[in-house]
Amino acid sequence: MRELAERPEDVPLVFAERFNSGDPAAVAEVYESGAVFVPEPGTPLTGAGAQAANARFVGLGVPISVRPRHVYATADIALLIVDWLIEGTDRDGRPVRIEGTATDVARRGPDGRWRYIIDNPFGAALSNSGRPSDIRV
């Protein structure tokens, strides 16, 4: 399995490899402690809630593919715009297709490795209320 990213543009690739391994603990290592994961627009989660939500996606047993579109970095912070697709057949034989364009933020830690601090897979999508979300955690 790939080590954590040494460059910000590699964070999505490391995430995808770990996601496709089917190991939620390996996926959790790609996040800083206290990171925010937004499994659906308007629903930011941290801690155990974020890990459980991510594990539900991994648990589908369907691979993810990622295509970084833009990476903007300054010092130890990076904004990543990433197109992604989860497509295939789940463990129950049902077709799955979930896709989006993520707006993510990663930070280089003291160990020199990059991890997500904000993972917003559905990017600029509106929340369920139809309004942009400005919820803070």
Side-chain angles (χ1 to χ4, degrees), residues 26-98:
V27 172
E29 292 174 355
V30 183
Y31 294 83
E32 275 193 10
S33 174
V36 174
F37 176 56
V38 186
E40 61 183 68
T43 309
L45 302 172
T46 60
Q51 289 180 9
N54 230 328
R56 284 191 293 278
F57 282 104
V58 172
L60 292 170
V62 179
I64 190 170
S65 60
V66 297
R67 189 175 57 83
R69 187 189 302 185
H70 302 290
V71 177
Y72 304 110
T74 181
D76 294 335
I77 302 289
L79 172 66
L80 300 101
I81 309 300
V82 181
D83 296 319
W84 60 272
L85 172 65
I86 297 173
E87 184 174 39
T89 304
D90 72 10
R91 292 189 168 108
D92 295 326
R94 293 181 299 237
V96 173
R97 182 177 174 87
I98 310 168

